[in-house]
Amino acid sequence: MDGERATRGWQFWIDRGGTFTDVVARRPDGALVTRKLLSDNPERYRDAALAAIRDILGVAPGAALPAGAIDAVKMGTTVATNALLERKGERTLLVITKGFADALRIGYQNRPKLFARHIVLSEQLYERVVEVDERVTAEGEVLRAPEPAAVRKELAAAFAAGIRAVAIVLLHGYRHVEHEELVAEIARDIGFTQISVSHRVSPLMKLISRGDTTVVDAYLSPILRRYVDRVAAELGAARLLFMQSNGGLVDAHRFQGKDAILSGPAGGIVGAVRTAEMGGFDKIIAFDMGGTSTDVSHYAGEYERSFETLIAGVRLRAPMMHIHTVAAGGGSVCVFDGTRYRVGPDSAGANPGPACYRRSGPLTVTDCNVMLGKLQPEFFPSVFGPNGDAPLDRAVVVREFTALARTIAAKTGDRRAPREVAEGFLKIAVENMANAIKQISIERGYDVTRYTLCCFGGAGGQHACLVADALGMKRVYIHPFAGVLSAYGMGLADLRSLKEQAIEARLEAALMPTLDRALDRLAASGSEEMLGQGIAPARITLLRKAHVKYEGTDVPLVVPYGGSDAIAEAFAAAHRLRYGFVMPEKRLIVEAVSVEAVGATDAAEDRIEPAPPSPGEPAPLAHVLLFTAGVEHQAPVFDRDALVPGQEIDGPAIIREQTATTVVEPGWRALLDRRRYLVLERVVPLPGRTAVGTAVDPVMLEVFNNLFMAIAEQMGVALQNTAYSVNIKERLDFSCALFDRTGSLIANAPHLPVHLGSMGESVRTVIRSRGSGMKPGDVYVLNAPYNGGTHLPDVTVIMPVFAEDDRAGAGP
């Protein structure tokens, strides 16, 4: 294991992203070098990761890599994610209990696009279904045993049709495994090459999410295996490890489809957390802005994970880093729809990429920064054009924004200079990213203003100050490898294995021996897996957790395992933080227990440099025109590598480096610390907020549209998470909206539309009858059929919100 021996050769830490493939390589002497390549460049190479390794080692394209030169490759990949998004996985057979053939297609009955008149459901991953005539109760009583001959006949027919992957999901199979084992044995005899069994893939209750997860594993694992085998074949004897969605590395031969969806982004979180710990930042918001999207996550002492996630229309119940993704990357397309500026969700991707990439791409967020002078072609890597050696094309950006400004003026009468148009699009992108951060912080009870923004990704530094300002954050830090931090995180990561077992029992003293035994079994399994990957016992850490919820609810909170009283206290604290209340009269249910086995490796440590007694003033490379906040500046450009610890730079300024560009906005100051981290702090308070006014501004119209929509969506999340009703939690049978003081609709989240037609009348009823007496904190409940009520079980809850010192001017 590389963590238990001196490095004998090169190590390569790679993040193969949607737009760029980032590489950090550690030489045998410990020095680090980086590369950034377009992920999709078929004219020049077949695989970006292998091309980067050859480039760094000085090996000609297509030539064999030198035997013994590479010690280990640690990689995150989008291969599985892309196969899922594009529905290009393996042909898959679903085997399920008789009577449930359509269960996964029906799902939870919530419509993905409520206001679409023509509903197109997500394409199912499985091609064919076999129903097994079997039935076991939740208590384990066998009502009907499967007939092996009948099962064999059905599976053999699917095999003869060319299907080689099978997902086996039987009712209550997570707890009573005998029937699933029987079907799996028959599938092995027939010759299926990929057999995913639900009690191994996702051993937790809920047929739908367990079934989807098992199907995803069967659908993606063969694709991953082929990619892994191809890379491994070129690497020879070098150790190959892959990043899992849970934030831990695993040997390539143990890498499974269900654990690969967030492979790349998870590396970014690990990189952010480990470097934050080195830099002394204990609470961070990780902000990873790449070319296609922006990933954000929260960290305050331990990794946060989601255990049920919806990705590309598929429910996955597998431990994943809690990451929220928004379609606002550097390649997000900027369009004008006739009334509003729109940014994303479409992306220009790696090919053709933004307009400035010289491939006839559309205008994007990256082009906005070129237009504003925040990206300067002469200080940006020249990797574009047919030969991969041309700079960014500023001329085409100016031409396209000039044409767009004319179009906007003709359609709306809003006359703005081309760079003002670009700044308008950039403002919308920043608000979209800030709203994403609110969802993983404010929505979950965390005061984001007390956190440091850890900014990384190729496009992150260009927007760090603006995003922080939108959230009221005062400090940002940017690692020297911020542009490739997801790749750097691969080298900082430990091996991890997460084991879970369903419990579904009341938390009481009598249950503790049962939980102890379950956790001991999981711990033994996790330790065995670490030992099998070469980790010494002294390097293995076991973290025991309990998944606890109130009786009658089904959203557990994960708390450290201890005695029954300690678990109850930890749950109460977590519930109060998340939802703002506790229900001490309710019983607690232990839904599951889990053990995380961590195998420590020798990771890189950022070197601390001595600070000179008098660092002096940094010398700029040049001064350039930079347009920001509606003002043109002559801004200095600095080379980060030329800065020395202790030097400070006041904004506006640009700091360039090999893999990223950082923009220091006016009112901010950048300091290079002794680890060569850029620490940005706001030194001039933000100006006071002012009203928008009555004129319709097409930029602010979109900004406030997004803000109001975000509020309505956050109300829905709070309702869903705290509800008892399956109708609310799974079918999402509710609506949330904002209204003005007259009862007119401002914004509604994409919930059930049937309520919205009458909700305004309910609000107006409350205003008419209670308007003069309403005060902050009041809540009104009604279902009167002549005042906005619909079905008798439908209840409308209305809460007025007041502006500061202006009760009369505000409304619900």
Side-chain angles (χ1 to χ4, degrees):
M1 175 62 215
D2 65 274
E4 299 169 22
R5 66 187 182 201
T7 301
R8 294 196 299 259
W10 287 79
Q11 283 201 17
F12 292 91
W13 310 330
I14 303 171
D15 173 31
R16 188 183 186 281
T19 303
F20 285 102
T21 290
D22 299 336
V23 180
V24 177
R26 186 166 72 183
R27 299 176 184 272
D29 63 4
L32 300 178
V33 295
T34 65
R35 289 291 188 278
K36 183 183 283 283
L37 284 76
L38 289 170
S39 294
D40 182 12
N41 199 342
E43 300 94 345
R44 302 188 61 211
Y45 42 77
R46 181 182 175 192
D47 184 86
L50 293 171
I53 292 174
R54 284 192 171 89
D55 178 46
I56 291 172
L57 293 179
V59 176
L65 294 170
I70 302 174
D71 189 44
V73 175
K74 303 176 181 180
M75 184 186 298
T77 176
T78 58
V79 168
T81 310
N82 291 342
L84 181 62
L85 292 171
E86 299 169 10
R87 296 299 195 260
K88 292 182 179 179
E90 192 79 353
R91 296 178 62 192
T92 301
L93 170 70
L94 170 64
V95 179
I96 199 166
T97 302
K98 185 177 181 180
F100 291 86
D102 294 328
L104 301 189
R105 183 183 182 279
I106 294 170
Y108 293 131
Q109 301 180 53
N110 53 308
R111 288 170 52 177
K113 295 182 179 179
L114 285 169
F115 301 106
R117 287 178 288 182
H118 177 58
I119 300 298
V120 179
L121 295 176
S122 296
E123 181 183 346
Q124 293 301 310
L125 304 185
Y126 54 86
E127 174 182 320
R128 191 163 174 169
V129 182
V130 166
E131 293 184 273
V132 177
D133 190 8
E134 66 84 40
R135 196 63 178 265
V136 180
T137 67
E139 295 72 30
E141 180 186 356
V142 177
L143 302 179
R144 190 184 299 273
E147 174 54 50
V151 174
R152 182 176 294 274
K153 180 181 178 181
E154 294 270 22
L155 265 60
F159 188 85
I163 298 175
R164 296 294 180 267
V166 58
I168 302 169
V169 186
L170 302 182
L171 203 63
H172 304 304
Y174 71 97
R175 179 173 288 179
H176 310 293
V177 305
E178 293 81 7
H179 291 178
E180 287 196 348
E181 289 285 15
L182 172 64
V183 176
E185 184 59 37
I186 294 172
R188 274 189 290 272
D189 287 346
I190 291 172
F192 282 92
T193 55
Q194 174 62 42
I195 302 170
S196 298
V197 187
S198 79
H199 71 265
R200 296 186 199 134
V201 172
S202 180
L204 299 172
M205 66 182 296
K206 287 193 172 182
L207 177 70
I208 303 302
S209 51
R210 174 166 56 94
D212 268 355
T213 305
T214 308
V215 170
V216 165
D217 193 66
Y219 185 74
L220 296 180
S221 290
I223 303 293
L224 271 181
R225 190 180 305 120
R226 287 193 284 272
Y227 180 73
V228 168
D229 290 347
R230 179 159 59 86
V231 174
E234 298 212 35
L235 292 177
R239 182 82 183 277
L240 178 60
L241 302 104
F242 279 88
M243 175 62 72
Q244 304 171 95
S245 300
N246 63 27
L249 294 167
V250 67
D251 268 338
H253 70 278
R254 296 174 183 263
F255 195 35
Q256 294 179 263
K258 73 179 180 69
D259 296 322
I261 303 301
L262 296 181
S263 176
I269 304 308
V270 173
V273 167
R274 296 293 288 270
T275 57
E277 290 171 345
M278 295 181 212
F281 307 109
D282 57 346
K283 293 182 176 181
I284 65 167
I285 299 295
F287 169 67
D288 177 8
M289 185 177 180
T292 306
S293 61
T294 294
D295 298 322
V296 298
S297 59
H298 166 270
Y299 179 83
E302 64 178 355
Y303 290 120
E304 293 187 342
R305 294 189 175 91
S306 300
F307 289 85
E308 188 159 357
T309 311
L310 181 69
I311 297 176
V314 179
R315 291 160 292 268
L316 283 167
R317 188 151 192 178
M320 298 184 181
M321 288 292 198
H322 187 79
I323 299 171
H324 181 61
T325 301
V326 61
S332 292
V333 177
C334 300
V335 298
F336 177 69
D337 67 3
T339 56
R340 294 183 299 174
Y341 291 37
R342 305 295 292 272
V343 178
D346 293 334
S347 172
N351 191 1
C356 59
Y357 279 17
R358 298 180 180 270
R359 288 187 175 182
S360 303
L363 286 175
T364 67
V365 171
T366 294
D367 298 306
C368 294
N369 285 309
V370 172
M371 187 70 200
L372 297 172
K374 296 183 177 184
L375 284 180
Q376 295 285 331
E378 59 268 36
F379 299 115
F380 197 87
S382 295
V383 294
F384 306 101
N387 298 320
D389 58 359
L392 293 171
D393 188 347
R394 175 175 169 79
V396 72
V397 172
V398 173
R399 185 171 66 247
E400 292 296 322
F401 269 114
T402 301
L404 183 58
R406 292 196 194 101
T407 300
I408 294 171
K411 290 190 175 182
T412 67
D414 183 68
R415 300 188 181 280
R416 300 183 186 218
R419 59 186 182 180
E420 291 175 323
V421 171
E423 189 167 52
F425 281 115
L426 191 59
K427 184 178 183 65
I428 292 166
V430 166
E431 289 294 340
N432 289 342
M433 292 182 282
N435 286 337
I437 291 174
K438 290 175 184 176
Q439 290 192 37
I440 53 95
S441 57
I442 297 169
E443 183 179 293
R444 302 170 66 232
Y446 302 115
D447 182 359
V448 73
T449 63
R450 299 176 181 269
Y451 285 69
T452 299
L453 186 67
C454 171
C455 188
F456 57 105
Q462 301 154 36
H463 310 89
C465 297
L466 296 177
V467 170
D469 281 343
L471 294 162
M473 301 178 75
K474 302 296 190 296
R475 185 168 60 181
V476 176
Y477 92 87
I478 302 176
H479 190 269
F481 290 143
V484 292
L485 195 66
S486 290
Y488 191 52
M490 307 298 169
L492 300 177
D494 296 319
L495 274 73
R496 291 178 183 265
S497 172
L498 251 139
K499 306 291 184 182
E500 306 165 285
Q501 181 176 324
I503 299 294
E504 283 298 319
R506 288 178 177 172
L507 176 64
E508 50 195 11
L511 179 65
M512 302 314 291
T514 300
L515 298 184
D516 288 337
R517 289 191 295 272
L519 285 163
D520 287 344
R521 286 193 298 270
L522 296 176
S525 176
S527 295
E528 182 180 352
E529 192 167 312
M530 290 295 108
L531 292 170
Q533 298 180 77
I535 301 295
R539 287 177 171 265
I540 300 173
T541 303
L542 300 170
L543 307 175
R544 302 178 181 226
K545 299 293 179 71
H547 303 226
V548 185
K549 61 188 179 183
Y550 281 123
E551 189 173 37
T553 67
D554 66 350
V555 178
L557 297 176
V558 181
V559 298
Y561 183 73
S564 56
D565 290 342
I567 292 174
E569 289 175 8
F571 173 80
H575 200 277
R576 184 178 286 108
L577 178 65
R578 179 71 56 85
Y579 303 120
F581 68 94
V582 292
M583 297 182 285
E585 73 283 359
K586 301 292 294 183
R587 291 181 180 271
L588 297 181
I589 301 296
V590 179
E591 180 183 276
V593 290
S594 62
V595 171
E596 182 175 5
V598 182
T601 64
D602 284 342
E605 179 74 20
D606 291 332
R607 186 167 61 92
I608 298 177
E609 295 185 3
S614 179
E617 293 292 326
L621 299 172
H623 285 78
V624 298
L625 288 177
L626 185 151
F627 187 83
T628 187
V631 179
E632 185 176 83
H633 302 267
Q634 277 283 342
V637 179
F638 298 93
D639 185 345
R640 180 166 176 167
D641 292 339
L643 300 178
V644 298
Q647 286 186 327
E648 296 180 339
I649 296 171
D650 286 326
I654 297 173
I655 302 174
R656 55 73 60 98
E657 52 194 289
Q658 184 178 356
T659 59
T661 298
T662 299
V663 177
V664 185
E665 295 285 344
W668 285 80
R669 175 178 296 154
L671 165 72
L672 191 77
D673 72 7
R674 293 180 61 195
R675 291 185 184 269
R676 301 199 65 82
Y677 293 8
L678 269 180
V679 181
L680 282 62
E681 293 194 338
R682 174 159 274 286
V683 292
V684 178
L686 278 170
R689 297 177 182 270
T690 57
V692 178
T694 57
V696 177
D697 182 325
V699 174
M700 297 307 297
L701 183 65
E702 179 66 2
V703 168
F704 276 86
N705 174 61
N706 291 338
L707 287 171
F708 290 138
M709 283 290 290
I711 293 171
E713 288 173 354
Q714 289 175 37
M715 286 195 291
V717 171
L719 176 61
Q720 182 184 1
N721 285 346
T722 56
Y724 282 55
S725 166
V726 173
N727 233 23
I728 291 176
K729 299 194 77 66
E730 294 184 356
R731 293 188 65 245
L732 308 184
D733 187 6
F734 60 83
S735 300
C736 296
L738 294 176
F739 296 83
D740 66 15
R741 61 179 178 179
T742 69
S744 297
L745 179 67
I746 296 175
N748 62 273
H751 302 145
L752 280 186
V754 67
H755 307 292
L756 294 175
S758 61
M759 200 182 293
E761 181 57 37
S762 297
V763 173
R764 286 187 286 273
T765 296
V766 171
I767 293 172
R768 282 196 304 269
S769 60
R770 305 287 183 178
S772 60
M774 287 193 294
K775 59 184 183 298
D778 285 352
V779 179
Y780 300 92
V781 179
L782 76 160
N783 70 340
Y786 291 100
N787 293 295
T790 51
H791 312 94
L792 277 178
D794 290 343
V795 176
T796 304
V797 180
I798 300 167
M799 182 175 180
V801 177
F802 299 90
E804 280 186 34
D805 303 321
D806 184 18
R807 284 174 52 186

